[in-house]
Amino acid sequence: MHFHFGWIPVCLALAGPVWGQQPLVGTSVLEEATGDVRSAALVADIDQFATQLIKDAEGKRSAFWKLDLSSAKSYEASVEPRRARLGAILGLHELDVRVPMVGLEYLSSSVHELRLAEAAKYVVHAVRWPALEGVNGEGIYLKQRAEAVACVILLPDAGQTPEELAGLVEGKEMLGQAAHELALAGCDVVIPALINRQSDFSGNAELGLRTDLSHREWIYRQTFELGRNVGGYELHKVLALVEWMQARKVPVGVAGYGEGGRLALLAAALDKRIDATLVSGAWEELEDTWQRPLERNGFGLIKEFGEAEIASLVMPRPLIIAHGQYPALPAGGESKAGVRKNAAPANLDHPEEEAVRKGIKRARQLVGDKLAEHLRLVIAEEGDLAIFPVEAVGWLRKALQVGKLEAPSELRIRRGSLPDDRARQQRLVNELVNHARHALQVCERQRTALVWKPLAAAKTDDVRMATTAKLRKAFWEDSIGRLPDPVGPPAAQSRVLAQNEDFVTHEVMMEVWPGVSAWGYLLVPTGIKEGERRPVVVCQHGLEGLPEDVVNEDSSAKAFGAYKGFAATLARKGYVTFAPHNFYRGKDHFRVIQRKLNLVGLSLFSVIIGQHQQTLAWLKTQPFVDGEKIAFYGLSYGGKSAMRIPAVLPDYCLSICSGDFNEWVRKCATVDLPLSYVYSGEYEIWEWNLGNTFNYAEMAALIAPRPFMVERGHDDGVGLDEWVAYEYAKVFRYYNKLGLGGKSQIEYFNGPHTINGKGTVEFLRQHLGR
């Protein structure tokens, strides 16, 4: 142990009957290990726990699916709620209403002509169409000279342009094989542009703020907190086209490769008006989504949906899965300058044929052979480098009831007049940034309707407490994600680390769930008389911290500048203190755990809250603990904990948030200040749809009527005083209206991101009685 707080060797100081110097009640002996070893083991154990939850998800999905297989019509009706649920997970937010579309807008200028290219049967245009207010789709349109016999949306991978997929780019003409074949067969074909994986427009150029994140991750970071995602926006663009095409009274198909293939499958699952679907280079096990680009994250996705379940929503309509070429993405992503600094690690793999066959088989089993008769797997022939295998395109034409192919004709291209893809990408990215800006501005209305109006309508204490309990349940289950309560009673292990004249320090571990433990340091003041019960202050460390950080009184220690040994300081004042280890440590290791947990509708705090549930239950078994007076005090990520854990666990009688209270949703989603998380490497930070549900003021309302305090340094870079004051004003108003103004305080002090330990100590004295 490399920390100090005036310890006396244990062997010289354990005589006498004083509480805290004897072995802790109900504990067995804990083996010795360093804090680094304990922390790494705990993180590894939780990683295994999260991995097992993913493995177990498939076997539990049937609880969400109530299928009626008696007829195709009955089946369609029975899965309709699943379509709506999938759309919500993917980010098709209920507040986003598609703009009516009457047709495609042709784009031309003095730079490029109205017709980009032409063949005997069709002409090629650059087009735009509306999707949402301020959000447009853009792409390439292969339009029949005669009446079209079908309409097809052809979706490229995120690393491709519409011009490439149309065969208009010199040297890449082979990529246009499918578009040319479908157009020759009489289909109108629209090829939308996707948000790509470059980083040219990631940042706020007006303010000189830049990041090397891919455009797709850049949009994810702004929108996930607001219940949206880049894929959801792209699905709106696709479905707007489907609505327009379907009104033309011809068959509608959708086909895609790579990221486009993924969107094609999802679009067909969501919209029954799509008559036939081709998915190429995209079928894979969704359980691996945590390894994929961050923007594919879906809160609760694999809890309710695997690739087979999504495919089942397409059936009984024709669905062709092509297994051949797949796009690649190097681990960690790439930019022109090399590995992206703040991006989440990611890769795209080529799945094994056996895994694809297994998924297709499971999809058939879900709906039965009759409904799955039009589900077809096409394995590309060896050496076939086409991104859409010829056989697969043939099956798509058959499914759309398209006649025989006309003899191939030459495509005449005006290469000098192709659209500027870079300028188009800038428009598309900026439109989504501005849409997210607007959503950020108006989301407070949703929180008001969800939280503040029901609380204001509660005219009695009983109704208000019942309303708060209902909101607390929603916050825990829908925003954080709730695990089963810990196993009990808690079986703990402990050992005495050391003691000084004021307190004894014990190291404690206890099982929470099989394979998952809670761990921390318990500081027990000397001089506690038999039968006396003391209040407890749980002192929470921040990011990459350890329990020793809040205990260490050595002013030369690195962590002392932030924490000032506040757990030890409070123990010297007579409080029992407990310094738990929250597992946000290990950089990518714990952040990847967040990605795994999100897929099953959980988060880091789902596990952390379970650890605190067990810790609280165990603390109450100790004869020197006043179980009615257990308070929480945390700095930085510990301040994040101070907002979430006591909001969910009423057994914490008081909470102090230090160095974190903020206009949290804005800090997570704004692109207009450099302190925003969109510019950071903390890619685990966003919580699904929190902007429309619970910001920090709403979390504080879940803590009320228990005492709540904010400790804020003027020079703390995690936020702005103005933001903090704005958000806290709502808290203070609520406490005042309850007649509890003295139970909520904020202390500003001249200082940085640190424990101040003045007003907060007095606040503890007032409400804990020491």
Side-chain angles (χ1 to χ4, degrees), residues 478-527:
D478 301 334
S479 298
I480 288 175
R482 184 169 184 172
L483 283 162
D485 289 340
V487 297
Q493 299 173 294
S494 71
R495 69 185 182 106
V496 176
L497 286 177
Q499 81 165 77
N500 57 38
E501 61 184 10
D502 292 320
F503 57 85
V504 179
T505 299
H506 303 261
E507 184 180 19
V508 182
M509 287 194 75
M510 66 197 79
E511 185 182 59
V512 181
W513 301 285
V516 177
S517 299
W519 163 60
Y521 293 170
L522 181 70
L523 280 59
V524 183
T526 56

Side-chain angles (χ1 to χ4, degrees), residues 119-372:
K121 290 196 64 175
Y122 64 91
V123 293
V124 182
H125 300 281
V127 292
R128 175 169 57 212
W129 64 96
L132 306 173
E133 188 67 38
V135 176
N136 298 296
E138 292 194 37
I140 296 297
Y141 180 29
L142 283 64
K143 183 182 185 303
Q144 294 296 308
R145 295 182 185 273
E147 287 295 319
V149 298
C151 292
V152 177
I153 303 165
L154 192 61
L155 291 154
D157 180 54
Q160 298 170 328
T161 68
E163 291 75 18
E164 289 173 342
L165 217 61
L168 303 181
V169 177
E170 188 173 6
K172 297 184 178 181
E173 288 87 354
M174 283 299 297
L175 293 177
Q177 179 180 337
H180 195 46
E181 179 178 334
L182 289 166
L184 288 176
C187 300
D188 273 2
V189 180
V190 179
I191 309 175
L194 301 191
I195 300 296
N196 68 25
R197 299 189 183 106
Q198 300 302 314
S199 61
D200 297 346
F201 311 111
S202 297
N204 188 323
E206 183 180 346
L207 298 178
L209 301 174
R210 285 285 296 128
T211 176
D212 62 357
L213 300 170
S214 76
H215 295 144
R216 300 185 71 80
E217 184 172 339
W218 170 241
I219 298 301
Y220 168 90
R221 288 173 174 234
Q222 298 164 56
T223 57
F224 193 79
E225 194 89 359
L226 304 171
R228 296 165 174 87
N229 203 335
V230 61
Y233 282 117
E234 289 174 332
L235 284 167
H236 274 301
K237 297 177 185 183
V238 172
L239 298 180
L241 287 172
V242 171
E243 290 168 4
W244 169 68
M245 291 175 171
Q246 189 267 341
R248 299 175 65 186
K249 308 300 182 184
V250 295
V252 176
V254 60
Y257 170 70
E259 196 69 41
R262 176 176 173 271
L263 290 171
L265 178 62
L266 294 170
L270 293 172
D271 198 323
K272 295 182 292 184
R273 294 172 297 185
I274 295 173
D275 296 298
T277 305
L278 166 57
V279 176
S280 180
W283 183 274
E284 64 175 353
E285 295 182 352
L286 292 185
E287 285 80 2
D288 293 330
T289 301
W290 61 271
Q291 302 178 66
R292 304 297 173 245
L294 183 61
E295 65 271 9
R296 292 193 184 180
N297 188 24
F299 192 73
L301 176 63
I302 70 162
K303 181 179 180 180
E304 302 182 39
F305 299 91
E307 70 282 2
E309 283 79 10
I310 293 174
S312 75
L313 294 177
V314 181
M315 292 180 270
R317 291 166 289 146
L319 172 61
I320 303 108
I321 306 298
H323 177 69
Q325 297 298 309
Y326 284 76
L329 179 71
E334 285 188 349
S335 67
K336 293 177 182 177
V339 176
R340 288 180 166 139
K341 179 181 177 182
N342 289 327
N347 64 65
L348 292 174
D349 288 339
H350 190 301
E352 296 294 330
E353 180 181 328
E354 181 182 353
V356 175
R357 289 189 181 279
K358 177 183 175 183
I360 298 294
K361 180 180 179 181
R362 199 168 71 81
R364 292 183 184 279
Q365 291 172 339
L366 285 174
V367 300
D369 290 339
K370 184 176 181 180
L371 290 174

Side-chain angles (χ1 to χ4, degrees), residues 86-137:
L86 178 61
I89 291 173
L90 295 173
L92 279 77
H93 200 281
E94 61 185 359
L95 297 177
D96 296 340
V97 179
R98 281 197 290 277
V99 176
M101 177 182 169
V102 295
L104 299 173
E105 176 188 357
Y106 291 161
L107 301 178
S108 64
S109 69
S110 59
V111 178
H112 67 78
E113 299 179 22
L114 182 63
R115 292 184 178 181
L116 302 179
E118 54 187 315
K121 290 196 64 175
Y122 64 91
V123 293
V124 182
H125 300 281
V127 292
R128 175 169 57 212
W129 64 96
L132 306 173
E133 188 67 38
V135 176
N136 298 296

Side-chain angles (χ1 to χ4, degrees), residues 687-704:
E687 296 156 289
W688 176 245
N689 201 33
L690 207 64
N692 295 295
T693 54
F694 296 91
N695 205 346
Y696 273 13
E698 289 77 25
M699 293 182 204
L702 302 183
I703 295 172

Side-chain angles (χ1 to χ4, degrees), residues 116-120 124 145 168 409-415:
L116 302 179
E118 54 187 315
V124 182
R145 295 182 185 273
L168 303 181
S409 62
E410 181 183 357
L411 180 64
R412 298 194 298 275
I413 304 170
R414 296 183 176 92
R415 297 188 190 281

